Amino acid sequence: MGRMSRRGFTVAAAGVMSAMLATGEAGALGPGDTGDPRWRREFRGMWIATVVNVDWPSVPGLDPGRQRAELLTLLDTAVERRLNAVLLQLRPTADAFWPSPYEPWSEYLTGTQGRSPGWDPLAFAVREAHRRRLELHGWFNPYRVANHTDPGRLVPTHPARVHPEWVVPYGGKLYYNPGLPEVRRFVQDAMLDPVARYDLDGVHFDDYFYPYPVAGERFDDDAAYERYGADFPDRAAWRRDNIDRLVRETGERVKRRKRHVRFGISPFAVWRNRTTDPRGSDTRAGVQTYDDLGADTRKWVREGWIDYIVPQVYWHIGFPAADYATLVPWWARTVQGTGVHLYVGEALYRAGDPTQPAPWQDPAELSRHVALCRTHPEVRGNVYFSATQVVTDRIGALARVVHDHYPRRVRPPR
C-alpha cells in the first residue's frame, strides 16, 4: 500500500457526495441485521498512510494545530462516507507516531527523526475516532527500517544503529532481518507497546514481510540461515517459518494483553497461482506471497492465527492476470469455516487515474466490486486505499458505492 504515490491533498469533499449525504444520515449507526446486506454489520474502512506523507500529515513539519486539523478532516470524511473504521499507520519505518520507548519519533511528523512533535498524535487519534464512532486500528510495518540504505541517516540511538547486525540493505532500503529471533521479539515489543497504553481496536499489518523481489538483487540472510535454518528443507521454508512465528506470536501476545483487540493483516492478494499449486487461485500473478514474500497467508487463516484478513484485491473485474471476480471467491472459500473475517481491500486510488485501463475510468467499477462481494456471505466488508482518495474521490467512485450500498452507517462485525 505504501508503494503508491501521494495525490494532491484537499479538504474539499466532492459535490456529488454532498448531494448524496443531504439526508443527514451520515452520523447514524444502524444496529445491523441479517437481512438486506446494506443494513447488516460490516467493516467499512479506510487506510491512512503516513509513510512519506502519503495521506497524513500532508507534509512533515506542520505545526500541531495543522496536523490535528488535517487528521480531523480525514476522520470527518470517513463519517460522511458512512465508514466505520480507520487503519492508521503508526510505525511506517521502524519509528513511531506515539512516544515509544523503543523507537524514535517519525520524521514524517516533524521532518527530523527523533524530534518530538510536541503532542501525542495517537492519543488524539484514538479519542477523536471514538468520538465519531469509528474503530481505530493501529497499522504497523514489522521489518522496514528506512527508505534508503544509509544507517548514518538514522538517529544515533536508533535500534538499527545500536544493532547493525540486525539490518539488511536491499532494493535501496534497509530492513530488519526476519530470520533473527531477537529481531522478531523486538519488533513485537515495539508494536505491542501502544496496545498496552492506548485504547486501540485492532493491530494491523500490511503486505511487507520479506521484501518484494528486486531484479538482480539478493536479500543477504546467509549468516542467519546458516545459524537457524538447519532443520528446514530449504531457505524458502525457513523464511516462511520466520514469518509464521511472527504472526502466530503477535496474535497470541495481543490477546494476552487485551482480548478484545483484533489482529488483522492485509496481504498482497495472490497466495499462489493455481499453476504453481492446485490449491491456489486461477491467476497468473507475477508475485505469490507464499513463494516471494515468505508469507503463507492461507495458513494464517486456516490456523486461526489472525482475526481478519484484508487481501489487497487491487485489480478490476476481468483483469486477465488477476481477476477481481476470481480472487474474491477464492478468498471466500479460504476463510470458510475458520471464524476469520474477510474484508476486501479496494484500490480506490486507481479510480479515475488516467494511467489505468478503461474499467477504472468508470465510476461504477468499485460499486460492482461491493455488489460482487455481497454475493459471498463470507465477505464481511471492504477497506479503501487510501484516505486522500476517500477525500478527493476523483470521479465519484466512492460516492457511487455509498449511494448504491451504504444507505446509512452500520456497526463493524465482531
Side-chain angles (χ1 to χ4, degrees):
M1 291 176 291
R3 299 189 301 279
M4 310 308 169
S5 61
R6 186 171 76 86
R7 300 289 174 182
F9 183 88
T10 176
V11 298
V16 63
M17 177 61 74
S18 300
M20 290 177 178
L21 299 180
T23 60
E25 295 176 338
L29 275 172
D33 62 28
T34 57
D36 187 335
R38 297 177 303 165
W39 298 94
R40 71 179 184 179
R41 283 179 177 255
E42 66 178 357
F43 198 86
R44 302 174 185 172
M46 74 177 185
W47 283 286
I48 301 178
T50 60
V51 65
V52 298
N53 302 100
V54 167
D55 292 315
W56 178 78
S58 59
V59 294
L62 295 177
D63 66 75
R66 286 279 305 281
Q67 291 178 345
R68 287 191 285 265
E70 286 190 352
L71 183 57
L72 291 181
T73 293
L74 297 180
L75 299 180
D76 287 341
T77 303
V79 173
E80 289 175 355
R81 272 62 169 162
R82 299 173 185 153
L83 307 182
N84 55 28
V86 293
L87 293 77
L88 175 61
Q89 194 173 30
L90 301 178
R91 186 180 179 269
T93 51
D95 51 10
F97 271 66
W98 75 98
S100 169
Y102 295 95
E103 292 172 314
W105 282 104
S106 176
E107 65 180 297
Y108 305 124
L109 280 168
T110 64
T112 302
Q113 189 177 75
R115 179 186 294 170
S116 170
W119 64 298
D120 186 339
L122 181 52
F124 180 81
V126 170
R127 181 174 67 249
E128 295 300 326
H130 288 171
R131 280 180 178 172
R132 291 159 175 77
R133 292 176 289 183
L134 293 164
E135 287 194 354
L136 194 290
H137 293 233
W139 166 15
F140 304 90
N141 187 284
Y143 294 120
R144 183 174 56 203
V145 173
N147 287 318
H148 56 76
T149 57
D150 181 6
R153 291 171 57 183
L154 305 174
V155 293
T157 56
H158 196 292
R161 290 189 68 177
V162 176
H163 300 281
E165 71 280 6
W166 288 4
V167 179
V168 179
Y170 179 78
K173 299 180 181 181
L174 295 175
Y175 296 91
Y176 285 133
N177 187 344
L180 298 176
E182 58 269 34
V183 164
R184 186 170 69 249
R185 181 73 186 188
F186 171 79
V187 300
Q188 289 178 24
D189 289 346
M191 294 184 296
L192 288 165
D193 174 65
V195 176
R197 296 169 55 197
Y198 299 86
D199 188 19
L200 293 177
D201 298 290
V203 170
H204 185 82
F205 292 172
D206 60 8
D207 53 323
Y208 290 96
F209 296 100
Y210 278 89
Y212 279 79
V214 176
E217 295 199 33
R218 185 176 66 86
F219 189 84
D220 185 6
D221 54 2
D222 290 354
Y225 179 50
E226 184 175 348
R227 183 174 182 182
Y228 298 109
D231 295 334
F232 297 88
D234 53 37
R235 191 182 307 241
W238 170 71
R239 287 180 173 177
R240 282 191 295 274
D241 183 71
N242 293 329
I243 305 302
D244 282 351
R245 288 172 185 265
L246 171 78
V247 171
R248 184 181 68 248
E249 292 169 3
T250 300
E252 291 170 351
R253 293 183 67 184
V254 166
K255 297 305 181 186
R256 284 200 298 269
R257 294 250 180 144
K258 292 182 178 177
R259 185 129 195 106
H260 70 278
V261 173
R262 300 165 71 212
F263 177 38
I265 298 178
S266 54
F268 182 80
V270 177
W271 172 70
R272 301 188 94 183
N273 295 320
R274 185 177 294 175
T275 52
T276 306
D277 187 320
R279 299 171 297 174
S281 52
D282 187 14
T283 50
R284 298 186 297 280
V287 171
Q288 302 169 91
T289 64
Y290 180 96
D291 303 274
D292 298 307
L293 308 181
D296 191 349
T297 54
R298 180 180 181 274
K299 180 179 182 179
W300 307 340
V301 170
R302 304 302 294 179
E303 294 291 338
W305 292 343
I306 56 180
D307 295 306
Y308 67 86
I309 194 159
V310 193
Q312 297 177 33
V313 191
Y314 284 180
W315 304 286
H316 60 265
I317 294 172
F319 181 60
D323 189 344
Y324 186 97
T326 295
L327 280 161
V328 168
W330 186 88
W331 279 105
R333 293 190 297 271
T334 297
V335 304
Q336 208 165 46
T338 65
V340 174
H341 284 189
L342 171 61
Y343 316 136
V344 176
E346 301 289 345
L348 177 60
Y349 71 93
R350 292 186 187 267
D353 183 338
T355 68
Q356 296 296 322
W360 290 110
Q361 311 311 316
D362 183 353
E365 176 68 17
L366 280 182
S367 181
R368 287 192 288 267
H369 289 194
V370 176
L372 188 151
C373 286
R374 286 181 170 177
T375 66
H376 298 278
E378 297 84 3
V379 181
R380 306 291 299 276
N382 303 79
V383 185
Y384 301 93
F385 188 83
S386 65
T388 296
Q389 285 77 32
V390 171
V391 171
T392 58
D393 197 18
R394 207 163 15 206
I395 59 171
L398 186 57
R400 181 68 176 264
V401 168
V402 174
H403 178 266
D404 293 349
H405 304 291
Y406 300 165
R408 65 182 293 175
R409 295 179 75 201
V410 296
R411 301 181 190 279
R414 299 299 296 178

